[in-house]
Amino acid sequence: MKIGQSQTLSQNINTTLEKSKAEEKKALENLMLERALGSQDGASLMSADALMSQISSMMQGVKNSNDTIGMLQIADGALGSVTDSTVRLSELSVAMGNPALNSEQRSMIESEAKALTQSMNDAMQQATFNGKSVFGSSMSFVTSDSSLVNMTLNAPNTAGLSVLDQDSIQDFMKRVGQERANIGSTINGIQSLVDSHLTTVVNLKNAESNLQDNDVAENYNELNTAKIMEGAALYAQSFNAQYLQSKLGALLG
């Protein structure tokens, strides 16, 4: 794949991502949509109002939960880049153990190692969500079950990293891996909760189906389809970025 082709692919991926986000937003809005009541007695009106209030609260919680997932995905993406740089740093550390290297070659390795460490710090510093730094900022989300989730993601400290110390590199890689595992399990837990509550919302919507003129099941299916497309586009975007980085690295190397 040529660089120009990869750039075109990146544009297509971004278009797909934006489209899926728009479709997801539309499906969520349709699920929240409130319709005018027909001829109802007082008891039915009260029941309908209670259902709509519950649905509205749950759907806002779903939106908040999706924001939480988005923030965590950004954090994981940044840590994925850090992992790649750490793997390269480990390779350089092993290369430094070659006694056949001259001083100039060692200096070149140390320069690349320094640049890699800086790129790790840049990746974590530039990871932002809604204008706030993902790492080091405390964020609170009210999820779809109305519980408050407080989150603080701390960026792995690169201060102790040294291309001359393989143990420091392996320890750092282990800490990054543990953080990514925690993020992954948290995303899975929140996503499971979102899916459960979306099912509940569909059931509540069906309970007051006489108040709606839109197809609840269809909107729910559209929402799931949009989320699948968005996930696929995010994965493709990440893969393409890593591919470009590897190609550029090969050219510059």
Side-chain angles (χ1 to χ4, degrees):
M1 182 186 296
K2 296 180 180 179
I3 297 297
Q5 291 175 327
S6 185
Q7 290 173 338
T8 300
L9 176 60
S10 179
Q11 293 172 352
N12 292 335
I13 291 171
N14 289 334
T15 299
T16 300
L17 182 59
E18 291 303 317
K19 181 181 178 182
S20 61
K21 285 183 177 179
E23 290 175 350
E24 180 181 349
K25 180 181 179 182
K26 180 180 178 181
L28 282 171
E29 289 174 348
N30 285 339
L31 283 171
M32 292 179 67
L33 198 59
E34 183 176 3
R35 298 299 181 187
L37 291 170
S39 298
Q40 305 274 348
D41 58 23
S44 295
L45 287 170
M46 291 179 63
S47 297
D49 286 344
L51 285 170
M52 291 307 301
S53 177
Q54 185 178 356
I55 290 168
S56 179
S57 296
M58 291 187 74
M59 289 308 298
Q60 184 57 58
V62 167
K63 285 187 174 182
N64 292 350
S65 297
N66 283 335
D67 282 346
T68 309
I69 291 172
M71 183 198 74
L72 291 170
Q73 287 174 333
I74 290 172
D76 185 62
L79 291 179
S81 175
V82 169
T83 298
D84 293 340
S85 295
T86 308
V87 169
R88 176 56 181 162
L89 188 64
S90 179
E91 294 173 354
L92 294 176
S93 178
V94 174
M96 283 290 281
N98 185 352
L101 295 178
N102 58 38
S103 58
E104 182 179 356
Q105 291 170 324
R106 290 181 180 279
S107 178
M108 290 176 62
I109 290 177
E110 290 176 349
S111 294
E112 183 179 349
K114 183 178 179 180
L116 284 169
T117 303
Q118 183 59 52
S119 73
M120 295 180 198
N121 291 323
D122 290 343
M124 291 182 285
Q125 290 172 4
Q126 293 169 9
T128 59
F129 181 82
N130 198 28
K132 295 184 67 177
S133 176
V134 167
F135 296 103
S137 297
S138 295
M139 299 185 184
S140 298
F141 296 87
V142 179
T143 61
S144 49
D145 64 348
S146 298
S147 60
L148 184 64
V149 176
N150 296 310
M151 304 188 68
T152 301
L153 297 177
N154 294 314
N157 192 345
T158 63
L161 274 177
S162 172
V163 72
L164 301 176
D165 184 357
Q166 181 68 210
D167 288 341
S168 72
I169 298 171
Q170 294 304 316
D171 179 65
F172 180 79
M173 189 179 296
K174 181 179 178 180
R175 284 186 281 122
V176 173
Q178 289 174 337
E179 188 65 27
R180 295 191 71 187
N182 291 336
I183 289 173
S185 63
T186 301
I187 289 176
N188 290 337
I190 295 174
Q191 187 61 63
S192 177
L193 186 65
V194 167
D195 292 342
S196 173
H197 283 89
L198 283 175
T199 300
T200 301
V201 166
V202 171
N203 293 333
L204 290 172
K205 278 289 192 178
N206 284 328
E208 46 92 52
S209 59
N210 289 333
L211 309 179
Q212 293 229 57
D213 63 6
N214 63 327
D215 191 325
V216 176
E218 181 180 351
N219 287 324
Y220 182 65
N221 288 335
E222 288 179 355
L223 175 63
N224 279 336
T225 299
K227 289 178 72 64
I228 291 171
M229 288 178 61
E230 182 179 349
L234 283 169
Y235 176 82
Q237 186 181 60
S238 174
F239 177 83
N240 190 52
Q242 291 178 7
Y243 180 85
L244 269 177
Q245 185 179 30
S246 68
K247 282 295 182 183
L248 289 173
L251 290 172
L252 294 174

